[in-house]
Amino acid sequence: MGTEAIDTERLELVMEAAGLDLWENDLLTGAVTRKAVKIFAELGYTEAEAAGWLDGLFAIVHPDDVALVKGALADHLAGRTAQYRCEFRVRSKAGEWVWYANHGKIMGDDSGERGHRLIGVTFNIDDRRRKEERLEQQQRQLLESEARHRELLHNLHTAIIVHAPDTSILYSNPRADELLAAHPGWYFVDEQGAPVLPEAYPVRRVQGSLLPLEALVYGVRRPESARVVWLLVHAFPEFHTDGALKHIIVNFDDISPRKQAEEKIHHLAFFDALTGLANRRLLMDRLQAALAASARNRIHGALLFIDLDKFKTINDVLGHGVGDQMLVEVAARILACMRESDTVARLGGDEFVVLLPELDADIEVASQKTAMVAEKIRLALNAPYQLKGSAHHSSPSIGVSLYLGNDESADVLLRQADMAMYKAKDAGRNTLRFFSAAMQMAVETHAALEADLRHAVARGELRLLYQIQVDASGQALGAEALVRWVHPSRGTVSPMQFIPIAEESFLILEIGGWVLETACAQLAAWEQNDALRHLSLAVNVSAQQFRQPDFVARLAETVGRYRFNVARLKLELTESVVLNDVDDVVSKMHALRALGATLSMDDFGTGYSSLAYLKQLPLDQIKIDQSFVRDIITDPTDAVMVRTIIDLARNFGLHVIAEGVETEAQLAFLQLHGCSAYQGYLFSRPVPVEVLEALLHSSYQT
Ligand code: C2E
Ligand code: MG
Ligand code: MG
């Protein structure tokens, strides 16, 4: 018994420490052999109160739990469970429900039979249960709120897509599904119209800036369609506590209607309401862009300032309504003179400005082109206007400023054009003035030369000079005829200056015809002279001239009127002749050779695709351009170029002549590498025919 007493004591100690309350029932007798007492004290009941409940414990068990406890007990008693276990709530003296657990078991006696003593413990599990309850509740709330959230997203009128960090779609609401399904193959473009990969847009934005919220406007464009659907995209990245990206909620709204409204406002802000032309603001934007472009590509552009000459009178006499009508008409007429890339603006009133970007790298050509456009506008605005049933006349004064690069600001250029416009008014209106005196001069000279050139042939102002061509031994082979214009007041004008002007009109045909006529007459004269009969005469043919459909017929007609060996007539063509319509050129060249004429390619090496076409062309000679000859001694590239041309000519069975030979060193180099004919100041400058003949005479004497 002694050991048993000690064991019981130890057990009590352990139970105490573990907060367990031991109890025992005898199932046979139904007697409670050991009572759980601690729990009652814990619950705040006095021993007396507790004693009263010993049999009726269920009186203070939560009504919902009574069945559970009884069931667990019944299961164990019936042998359905190895242990009796249950958890239940008991009411404290203060009226609170406190969680307890019962763990029990039917114990066997010494015989090993299934016993009749039910022994168990009761212990407080309130903390654990409450923690669990709280968690459960949180879980429930979470689920509820998520469900609410989804429902909310589901019914939203804006599209929602939730992207995983790898941009795969975790969730999309019906509106998003609808949008994606309605526009298969659509892709995102940014505000500049550049495509944004649909799978890249949220992540890119999120990584690009670490803002938690981002509002962007994207367009969606269907392939091969200019139509853009504008979407306002908000991306909300959500992060894990460790900072890693959890997902991105992307919300987009179709804001096309708003965009269209904005565009309308933009239009109002940048365009003139009356004429629909650009307004000052847009003009200045475009001008600035054009200046920047010009700084990059070094191409001139121009600004025209146009002011109507009698507009105030029309406004005053016919009223503003009619004045407006006229301005609309003026706008349309100016536009009709323009290229796509030009900008026409109305600054207000009767002031119009035209921006002509990218005219030419050469300032003279750029001025010329500008003058041409301005003249076109001037004539267009001079045509009568039908206003209020009768014809009215008006005219413009036009001021021009040219620009290259962005040294001058947009404002300064506009002011210059304005000032030039006032110069045009001072000069009597209905005219054009350039801001810079030099440009004005260039344009005026051009205009004056063109006017004078019309009479040059008829007035006998053209002369031919002759420049000798020699062979390797210095013997004269012939000469090149070079035209000069002896202007009554300007003196001798170079063909470099007047041939391009002549090429702008039919004048080149008249001049070219005169040159050919004179050359043929000269050849016929030489034909009469034994000493000169062998000489050939090279005549330059301009591209425009050659392009004339009846060029061959005209030449045949001219040649037919003179008696000489046509093989002595050498036509010099340039690469620009061949540039377009090679087939036509080749057939013309064959026709010329059939007439007996000789063909030479002038300025060879300065054009491009030289090698490509050389094979196709029925040429007799190529003429190495003087630019290569000039630096033949000093520039290894030119030296190689010249040697290549000579080799090439030999391979194609062509004669080769070098022009612009000025020094003995150049001549020596050319001789060394097999060039067979020469022309240049070393032998003679272009001279009048008498001088040439004297030269030939003296060279025969030596
Ligand atoms: P081009 O046919 O290449 O003529 C050669 C030019 O080089 C001539 O200039 C000539 O005076 C010049 N020259 C000759 N030897 C030398 C030299 O050693 N050094 C230098 N620096 N220059 C030399 P020009 O007479 O002023 O003629 C210029 C261009 O005008 C010609 O180039 C030709 O393209 C054109 N041209 C001349 N006459 C006519 C013509 O009757 N009709 C047509 N369509 N064009 C012509
Ligand atoms: Mg020539
Ligand atoms: Mg030449």
Side-chain angles (χ1 to χ4, degrees):
M1 274 313 275
T3 46
E4 195 183 78
I6 292 166
D7 280 352
T8 309
E9 243 170 63
R10 276 187 187 156
L11 193 61
E12 297 283 347
L13 211 65
V14 172
M15 307 269 235
E16 180 79 40
L20 301 173
D21 206 358
L22 189 74
W23 43 260
E24 187 179 329
N25 289 357
D26 188 323
L27 297 173
L28 292 179
T29 62
V32 176
T33 45
R34 187 189 171 97
K35 301 156 206 163
V37 287
K38 254 195 326 238
I39 77 162
F40 297 110
E42 237 177 61
L43 290 165
Y45 297 108
T46 62
E47 260 178 61
E49 285 168 319
W53 285 323
L54 279 182
D55 295 322
L57 177 71
F58 286 121
I60 55 166
V61 171
H62 195 289
D64 290 354
D65 298 344
V66 172
L68 198 122
V69 176
K70 284 188 174 167
L73 196 55
D75 281 347
H76 188 59
L77 293 183
R80 283 191 293 270
T81 52
Q83 273 193 16
Y84 157 58
R85 276 169 181 251
C86 62
E87 296 183 354
F88 53 94
R89 283 158 292 181
V90 183
R91 194 178 61 236
S92 74
K93 178 90 187 269
E96 284 166 352
W97 295 107
V98 183
W99 280 97
Y100 282 90
N102 272 350
H103 281 195
K105 194 179 165 76
I106 297 172
M107 295 291 189
D109 55 12
D110 297 342
S111 70
E113 285 286 297
R114 190 164 191 261
H116 51 85
R117 291 159 63 211
L118 176 64
I119 304 174
V121 288
T122 298
F123 52 94
N124 188 317
I125 56 160
D126 200 61
D127 272 1
R128 196 201 84 213
R129 282 302 299 234
R130 286 197 191 280
K131 231 176 257 165
E132 282 172 5
E133 263 171 15
R134 253 199 321 279
L135 271 174
E136 246 167 57
Q137 195 186 344
Q138 279 172 358
Q139 202 78 35
R140 218 173 24 247
Q141 280 173 352
L142 210 70
L143 284 172
E144 271 168 21
S145 82
E146 215 159 81
R148 266 205 312 278
H149 222 90
R150 292 231 158 175
E151 201 184 296
L152 204 79
L153 295 182
H154 200 83
N155 296 324
L156 274 182
H157 286 287
T158 81
I160 303 280
I161 288 179
V162 180
H163 285 278
D166 69 354
T167 73
S168 60
I169 294 179
L170 297 174
Y171 169 81
S172 56
N173 76 349
R175 182 76 186 102
D177 294 342
E178 202 179 294
L179 250 162
L180 295 176
H183 308 303
W186 288 58
Y187 60 94
F188 284 88
V189 293
D190 62 18
E191 291 206 81
Q192 276 68 51
V196 177
L197 294 181
E199 68 276 6
Y201 68 95
V203 169
R204 200 183 68 161
R205 289 298 162 182
V206 171
Q207 288 174 343
S209 74
L210 290 167
L211 287 175
L213 166 83
E214 188 133 355
L216 295 162
V217 179
Y218 283 100
V220 187
R221 187 204 295 267
R222 201 189 196 105
E224 290 122 37
S225 152
R227 201 168 88 82
V228 170
V229 172
W230 288 101
L231 300 177
L232 180 64
V233 178
H234 292 266
F236 306 89
E238 294 195 344
F239 301 93
H240 289 294
T241 40
D242 66 356
L245 184 64
K246 193 166 155 199
H247 56 232
I248 302 150
I249 302 172
V250 182
N251 157 227
F252 42 92
D253 273 309
D254 185 347
I255 53 158
S256 303
R258 195 210 296 176
K259 262 285 183 191
Q260 273 154 19
E262 273 173 14
E263 263 154 33
K264 209 178 255 168
I265 291 167
H266 169 90
H267 200 270
L268 287 179
F270 287 97
F271 293 87
D272 171 45
L274 176 65
T275 59
L277 297 178
N279 66 10
R280 178 189 289 265
R281 205 164 134 197
L282 182 56
L283 171 73
M284 294 319 258
D285 275 7
R286 297 243 174 106
L287 181 53
Q288 254 137 27
L291 295 181
S294 168
R296 281 194 306 277
N297 59 28
R298 307 307 296 170
I299 293 178
H300 290 86
L303 210 56
L304 308 185
F305 201 110
I306 305 166
D307 189 279
L308 301 181
D309 289 333
K310 282 190 290 181
F311 185 68
K312 196 178 165 339
T313 322
I314 287 180
N315 242 348
D316 292 347
V317 175
L318 300 174
H320 287 269
V322 176
D324 283 357
Q325 203 183 316
M326 179 170 158
L327 291 176
V328 171
E329 173 70 21
V330 166
R333 290 187 191 181
I334 297 177
L335 273 179
C337 302
M338 296 295 127
R339 299 172 303 180
E340 191 82 22
S341 55
D342 302 333
T343 297
V344 183
R346 178 172 166 249
L347 298 190
D350 60 343
E351 291 178 344
F352 296 83
V353 173
V354 171
L355 167 62
L356 306 173
E358 310 209 346
L359 288 167
D360 204 278
D362 182 81
I363 188 160
E364 301 236 333
V365 178
S367 320
Q368 228 41 254
K369 283 186 175 175
T370 309
M372 265 164 62
V373 175
E375 183 60 11
K376 212 165 141 190
I377 294 173
R378 193 186 68 77
L379 290 175
L381 299 189
N382 267 278
Y385 297 80
Q386 285 299 324
L387 302 169
K388 261 198 167 168
S390 56
H392 293 267
H393 289 271
S394 178
S395 60
S397 293
I398 305 176
V400 179
S401 57
L402 279 182
Y403 63 82
L404 177 68
N406 50 6
D407 296 342
E408 303 287 8
S409 73
D411 288 319
V412 168
L413 284 170
L414 191 62
R415 236 186 346 265
Q416 291 182 347
D418 191 13
M419 286 162 67
M421 185 274 291
Y422 277 104
K423 281 200 256 173
K425 293 252 187 220
D426 287 347
R429 294 159 202 268
N430 195 17
T431 186
L432 161 77
R433 281 295 175 275
F434 276 76
F435 171 75
S436 121
M439 281 170 213
Q440 183 64 33
M441 182 85 95
V443 171
E444 272 170 17
T445 305
H446 183 99
L449 280 181
E450 192 189 349
D452 292 348
L453 199 55
R454 288 171 199 281
H455 313 290
V457 174
R459 289 178 184 165
E461 292 169 357
L462 296 185
R463 301 269 181 284
L464 275 190
L465 295 187
Y466 299 82
Q467 187 174 31
I468 194 169
Q469 299 181 336
V470 300
D471 66 11
S473 58
Q475 291 299 306
L477 295 167
E480 177 178 8
L482 294 159
V483 71
R484 295 291 181 268
W485 177 18
V486 186
H487 189 278
S489 59
R490 291 173 198 270
T492 303
V493 182
S494 157
M496 305 280 257
Q497 205 178 350
F498 72 84
I499 293 288
I501 297 176
E503 282 190 315
E504 287 168 14
S505 65
F506 61 90
L507 283 174
I508 188 64
L509 305 181
E510 202 188 351
I511 293 171
W514 179 87
V515 170
L516 273 169
E517 186 83 34
T518 312
C520 288
Q522 191 58 61
L523 280 167
W526 283 343
E527 185 71 33
Q528 304 302 311
N529 186 328
D530 286 344
L532 303 174
R533 189 174 294 139
H534 69 287
L535 295 176
S536 70
L537 192 51
V539 173
N540 294 283
V541 177
S542 93
Q544 291 300 333
Q545 195 183 349
F546 188 82
R547 219 164 276 149
Q548 289 304 301
D550 59 352
F551 176 70
V552 179
R554 278 166 183 256
L555 187 89
E557 189 271 330
T558 310
V559 168
R561 279 187 283 108
Y562 295 93
R563 265 201 63 235
F564 65 92
N565 180 358
V566 184
R568 305 267 175 254
L569 178 64
K570 195 192 286 175
L571 301 176
E572 286 194 6
L573 309 177
T574 56
E575 288 175 79
S576 63
V577 166
V578 197
L579 272 184
N580 35 24
D581 203 357
V582 182
D583 287 347
D584 178 59
V585 170
V586 169
S587 71
K588 263 185 190 160
M589 287 173 74
H590 279 296
L592 291 171
R593 284 189 40 159
L595 279 180
T598 315
L599 300 177
S600 179
M601 180 59 69
D602 202 355
D603 305 340
F604 188 79
T606 54
Y608 47 97
S609 73
S610 313
L611 298 177
Y613 67 69
L614 199 57
K615 263 195 290 195
Q616 302 180 45
L617 302 181
L619 286 168
D620 299 284
Q621 184 187 60
I622 55 181
K623 201 169 189 183
I624 302 171
D625 188 64
Q626 49 181 289
S627 62
F628 299 112
V629 175
R630 187 170 52 233
D631 299 325
I632 209 172
I633 306 301
T634 50
D635 187 335
T637 319
D638 284 349
V640 170
M641 185 73 190
V642 167
R643 287 170 59 181
T644 308
I645 294 173
I646 295 171
D647 284 349
L648 202 74
R650 198 181 288 136
N651 285 337
F652 285 116
L654 300 173
H655 295 287
V656 58
I657 180 167
E659 68 179 340
V661 182
E662 294 182 352
T663 66
E664 293 289 352
Q666 290 166 345
L667 176 65
F669 181 98
L670 290 161
Q671 276 176 328
L672 181 69
H673 291 99
C675 182
S676 52
Y678 317 90
Q679 179 184 346
Y681 294 171
L682 181 63
F683 310 100
S684 166
R685 297 204 166 233
V687 289
V689 69
E690 310 78 35
V691 181
L692 175 82
E693 285 171 4
L695 196 72
L696 292 170
H697 204 68
S698 66
S699 71
Y700 283 122
Q701 312 253 294
T702 56

